[in-house]
Amino acid sequence: MNLAEGVQLVSGGILAVMMIVTALGVVLLSNIVYSAFLLGGVFISISGLYILLNADFVAAAQILIYVGAVNVLILFAIMLVNKREDFKEIPGRWIRNASTGVVCAGLFALLGTMVLVTPWSVDSTSPAVIENTIVEIGKHFFSDFLLPFELASVLLLMAMVGAIILARRDLIPESMPRQETISTSLTLPERPRELTSIGATSGEEN
Amino acid sequence: MDFSSNIAAQLNAGIILPEGIVILTLMVILVGDLIVGRNSARWLPYVAIAGLLTSIVALYFQWDTPDPDAFLGAFSGDNLSIVFRGIIALSTAVTIPMTIRYIQQSGTSLAEFIGIMLTATLGGMFLSGANELVMIFISLEMLSISSYLMTGYMKRDPRSNEAALKYLLIGASSSAIFLYGVSLLYGLSGGETNLNAIAATIPDVTGGQSLGLAIALVFVIAGIAFKISAVPFHQWTPDVYEGSPTPVVAFLSVGSKAAGFALAIRMLVTAFALVSEQWHFIFTALAILSMVLGNVVALAQTSMKRMLAYSSIAQAGFVMIGLIAGTDAGYSSMIFYLLVYLFMNLGAFTCVILFALRTGTDQISEYAGLYHKDPAITLCLSICLLSLGGIPPLAGFFGKIYLFWAGWQAGMYGLVLLGLVTSVVSIYYYIRVVKMMVVKEPQEMSESVKNYPEINWTLPGMRPMQVGLIISVIATSLAGILSNPLFTLTTDSVTSTPILQSAAVVQELPTDQMEISDNF
């Protein structure tokens, strides 16, 4: 093992440990601001792993998009919602936590076994052959991934339109008096079901 | 410079002409609304319908195209995908007439709604032909994200908000699981994203079955089953159907489901050909659960939209019988059933919308005595519901019998018997609504029917709804008796699709008495 391989191995290990610890922190800490910052840590460690895999462009995009945009957006959302509410401790909560833990551990064991037993076909192309990953990505975008690449623009356009619809302030129209059909102001025309006592409708709620 | 000219020669971009027409319509609607303003609502829906119908015509001219692979294998325009794209475009074209009045009466803007619905259609159409993992994921997300937006369109209604949030959260987690499964496929095949290439390389790499392939299969099926709302993955369906605007429910129950089935056929038959026994087994379990749970829980519902939600779960169970059969007859019976299901379900939803707009409720008990006030809606709703239940002269009966016949030929006796029993159960809850409307005496009428407004079809937006309703009802009553053209269409689409033929050879070896009788 020469020096370069050793450095790769050690930094890979450090990044993996960092990723797992921060990810556990995101899930287990109860303060949501800590979780959001730790999520940034997860994204940065993933980007480090991309660099080790010679995917430099993906690593940069990961930091720009996930840390720079998504995570900052999450923090903004948390700061704008400054509503404090103390939740009551649910009785028997540890049963839920324990069962979730068992399911997660089982899933982890299954996936771990799968990763170890499967004979993965490893690409033997040396990374030295590709000198500029951005050019390669560009070639793919304009040849075999052309259709999904272009289609993503329609998807983003519609996501933008949808976000504007959700966020804009609507003029709430006056509910017109009886005019042959029901008219409402931004609600469903169907009336909500009458809420009766729980015992009476236990058969219907499903 | 020769890179671009080399690529451009191989793209074969004419295959996506129908989708191009839909994108163009979408642009016309967004820009037209921007320029003209709210008054554009008078002509925009008709532009959308015209665009969708043109796209169906374009699909018709691509039938039996000699070279169906476009965009270097990313998209396949074979006859199977043409039929499914046609079903999805048609379902939107029939859904739009019923949205006009509904959306305008709620005070929200119509143009954006139709724009989002067209995007969802586009996602479904691309999903039906997608032949490559990235393409599949992008079009699946396009369909899902537009569906979430449509679900939450009634912003001030807490039910709509709840439905949208629930749908978004469950949908996002199911997409994540699907993506995990797809990434396993990518890894197992040594970095291939094209489905045909994956099917070709996986046997060499893994040497037959492996744990990785099985896990990929389970994860992918979880994603697909969420889209078609098969039973263990159905929890979102009733709440989302109850809380979304009714036209959205109509689209979700027909267009979105058809897209899910198209994805299921293409992915399972090509990429998972090695583990076909396993996926047949999983889908058998899903079909049994969907048929039993969907039909039994529908019995207890008091709201029409929730009842139709459970009924759509059960109908997905019936359609899965055709998928499990895995024969030519099985696949073509699936397509045939989806086609007639389109008309009968959309017809039923149009009636539900009309009733809700006139009385402001969708409780089944409020339909009591509707016959005395509005015989036309009573007749149409009865025809559609009886057809959904599978009563003989109507289209639903022929669709179901074709499905069951295909299943019986493939030797799935237990599943077909279960289907027969559960469809008898389903007749009970459909007939309950019909009885509520028809049999009640005038003095037993419900409050809302007593206050039923004067029927006036000349109000803005009512005429298209009437036209859509009449078309659906006529198709529902006649598509069964005059089914030969539809039957030929579906059989042709299956027999001329290469991916299904190579798979069917393996399946059909034990049963070689597959004469296809054209007489129903």
Side-chain angles (χ1 to χ4, degrees):
Chain A
M1 188 193 286
N2 56 24
L3 184 65
E5 279 179 14
V7 169
Q8 266 192 15
L9 196 69
V10 170
S11 47
I14 292 173
L15 284 170
V17 170
M18 209 169 105
M19 186 158 70
I20 291 170
V21 169
T22 45
L24 283 176
V26 172
V27 181
L28 297 177
L29 289 183
S30 59
N31 189 333
I32 195 165
V33 180
Y34 292 164
S35 294
F37 275 110
L38 285 175
L39 191 63
V42 177
F43 291 143
I44 290 177
S45 353
I46 292 176
S47 133
L49 284 181
Y50 285 144
I51 291 179
L52 285 185
L53 293 168
N54 287 318
D56 45 10
F57 176 74
V58 184
Q62 166 89 8
I63 290 190
L64 278 178
I65 294 166
Y66 282 93
V67 186
V70 174
N71 208 34
V72 170
L73 204 64
I74 292 175
L75 278 168
F76 264 112
I78 292 169
M79 283 177 206
L80 288 176
V81 183
N82 53 356
K83 193 177 169 191
R84 259 203 176 279
E85 198 171 333
D86 290 319
F87 292 103
K88 250 187 276 171
E89 191 75 9
I90 306 165
R93 182 154 173 249
W94 67 272
I95 301 179
R96 298 180 186 207
N97 284 346
S99 52
T100 315
V102 168
V103 170
C104 289
L107 207 58
F108 179 76
L110 179 68
L111 294 178
T113 325
M114 185 265 297
V115 169
L116 292 179
V117 277
T118 307
W120 298 102
S121 72
V122 181
D123 192 2
S124 55
T125 322
S126 158
V129 177
I130 300 165
E131 50 194 40
N132 194 342
T133 49
I134 301 174
V135 173
E136 284 301 310
I137 291 174
K139 275 185 183 160
H140 276 297
F141 270 160
F142 284 96
S143 59
D144 48 351
F145 293 114
L146 178 63
L147 188 56
F149 178 66
E150 298 292 341
L151 203 56
S153 61
V154 183
L155 173 64
L156 289 177
L157 169 73
M158 204 31 73
M160 201 168 66
V161 171
I164 292 170
I165 290 171
L166 289 181
R168 80 171 162 202
R169 191 166 299 165
D170 275 280
L171 289 172
I172 295 163
E174 300 273 314
S175 265
M176 277 165 274
R178 205 90 180 134
Q179 186 221 22
E180 270 117 357
T181 57
I182 303 292
S183 67
T184 53
S185 48
L186 279 74
T187 50
L188 298 170
E190 292 93 4
R191 285 191 296 273
R193 284 178 295 169
E194 287 89 12
L195 294 173
T196 40
S197 62
I198 294 166
T201 57
S202 59
E204 296 160 9
E205 283 296 325
N206 210 326
Chain B
M1 279 303 102
D2 61 348
F3 175 76
S4 58
S5 52
N6 262 345
I7 296 297
Q10 302 168 30
L11 281 184
N12 195 10
I15 294 290
I16 62 157
L17 176 69
E19 283 79 7
I21 294 172
V22 178
I23 294 180
L24 209 65
T25 319
L26 178 67
M27 290 298 130
V28 168
I29 284 173
L30 286 181
V31 176
D33 178 56
L34 210 59
I35 293 172
V36 183
R38 280 227 159 184
N39 287 335
S40 61
R42 238 177 280 136
W43 51 270
L44 276 183
Y46 307 105
V47 173
I49 296 170
L52 287 165
L53 294 179
T54 323
S55 148
I56 294 172
V57 171
L59 280 172
Y60 171 77
F61 282 110
Q62 296 200 337
W63 191 262
D64 273 335
T65 178
D67 179 21
D69 281 330
F71 290 92
L72 304 167
F75 189 82
S76 164
D78 50 13
N79 289 348
L80 182 76
S81 87
I82 289 181
V83 167
F84 272 105
R85 284 144 81 196
I87 290 179
I88 294 162
L90 193 62
S91 78
T92 314
V94 182
T95 311
I96 287 177
M98 64 173 103
T99 60
I100 303 171
R101 183 80 187 167
Y102 191 95
I103 294 295
Q104 283 186 322
Q105 286 304 102
S106 68
T108 45
S109 62
L110 183 64
E112 282 93 335
F113 185 82
I114 289 180
I116 300 175
M117 189 167 255
L118 283 181
T119 320
T121 314
L122 206 58
M125 287 171 84
F126 273 118
L127 190 58
S128 318
N131 203 19
E132 200 244 315
L133 298 179
V134 181
M135 186 64 208
I136 288 176
F137 188 69
I138 292 264
S139 41
L140 189 68
E141 280 304 284
M142 207 160 150
L143 177 59
S144 319
I145 289 177
S146 336
S147 309
Y148 309 147
L149 287 173
M150 286 194 290
T151 305
Y153 205 72
M154 299 293 159
K155 284 195 315 201
R156 277 161 52 85
D157 196 308
R159 286 171 294 167
S160 185
N161 300 351
E162 184 200 330
L165 195 61
K166 218 173 234 178
Y167 195 22
L168 173 70
L169 292 179
I170 302 179
S173 47
S174 100
S175 300
I177 293 173
F178 179 79
L179 196 59
Y180 196 106
V182 161
S183 76
L184 284 179
L185 270 187
Y186 175 79
L188 285 169
S189 64
E192 296 289 348
T193 56
N194 193 303
L195 287 184
N196 300 332
I198 289 174
T201 46
I202 277 191
D204 305 336
V205 177
T206 59
Q209 303 187 357
S210 73
L211 184 62
L213 196 56
I215 290 180
L217 173 70
V218 171
F219 282 6
V220 164
I221 287 183
I224 294 172
F226 166 80
K227 264 275 151 274
I228 58 179
S229 61
V231 152
F233 307 97
H234 73 291
Q235 283 95 346
W236 58 277
T237 318
D239 291 331
V240 169
Y241 278 26
E242 192 183 16
S244 353
T246 318
V248 180
V249 184
F251 176 77
L252 287 182
S253 67
V254 179
S256 176
K257 246 175 222 207
F261 276 113
L263 172 66
I265 295 182
R266 195 170 292 275
M267 251 191 121
L268 295 176
V269 168
T270 52
F272 291 106
L274 263 187
V275 282
S276 75
E277 254 174 54
Q278 282 83 342
W279 71 255
H280 279 106
F281 176 73
I282 297 176
F283 263 94
T284 311
L286 292 182
I288 292 173
L289 287 173
S290 304
M291 286 191 291
V292 171
L293 195 123
N295 280 318
V296 171
V297 181
L299 292 175
Q301 298 307 312
T302 56
S303 145
M304 194 72 183
K305 273 159 95 176
R306 278 181 94 86
M307 190 204 87
L308 285 172
Y310 281 104
S311 126
S312 86
I313 294 173
Q315 305 279 354
F318 293 132
V319 178
M320 273 185 256
I321 293 180
L323 179 63
I324 303 161
T327 52
D328 281 356
Y331 293 124
S332 65
S333 67
M334 264 177 88
I335 299 169
F336 183 78
Y337 196 76
L338 282 173
L339 257 174
V340 296
Y341 177 66
L342 188 163
F343 288 110
M344 56 202 190
N345 213 28
L346 292 184
F349 272 114
T350 313
C351 296
V352 173
I353 289 175
L354 278 170
F355 187 76
L357 282 178
R358 285 175 179 161
T359 62
T361 179
D362 72 328
Q363 294 297 302
I364 294 177
S365 55
E366 296 287 337
Y367 281 78
L370 184 63
Y371 175 69
H372 301 285
K373 288 288 175 105
D374 195 341
I377 290 192
T378 310
L379 178 73
C380 295
L381 186 54
S382 306
I383 287 179
C384 292
L385 288 180
L386 292 177
S387 174
L388 279 169
I391 301 286
L394 302 167
F397 168 74
F398 292 96
K400 258 186 199 163
I401 209 161
Y402 188 18
L403 271 174
F404 291 156
W405 175 80
W408 194 267
Q409 291 282 313
M412 304 182 306
Y413 307 112
L415 202 58
V416 171
L417 284 177
L418 186 77
L420 283 172
V421 172
T422 49
S423 63
V424 171
V425 173
S426 78
I427 291 172
Y428 171 78
Y429 60 78
Y430 292 124
I431 291 221
R432 197 170 54 129
V433 181
V434 177
K435 181 182 140 233
M436 192 65 93
M437 292 187 295
V438 178
V439 182
K440 298 278 181 188
E441 295 295 318
Q443 64 270 18
E444 292 174 300
M445 262 187 225
S446 66
E447 272 314 300
S448 354
V449 174
K450 270 184 199 146
N451 302 326
Y452 203 74
E454 200 64 33
I455 299 160
N456 186 355
W457 288 108
T458 53
L459 291 171
M462 286 303 242
R463 204 50 87 180
M465 212 184 301
Q466 192 184 20
V467 173
L469 180 60
I470 288 172
I471 290 174
S472 320
V473 170
I474 289 177
T476 308
S477 1
L478 296 184
I481 302 162
L482 307 173
S483 63
N484 216 24
L486 286 183
F487 192 80
T488 326
L489 174 84
T490 55
T491 320
D492 275 359
S493 75
V494 172
T495 47
S496 59
T497 301
I499 55 162
L500 295 182
Q501 289 316 303
S502 53
V505 173
V506 188
Q507 300 262 326
E508 273 179 34
L509 280 181
T511 53
D512 35 321
Q513 72 284 12
M514 296 289 299
E515 317 102 337
I516 292 180
S517 52
D518 274 58
N519 44 11
F520 61 83

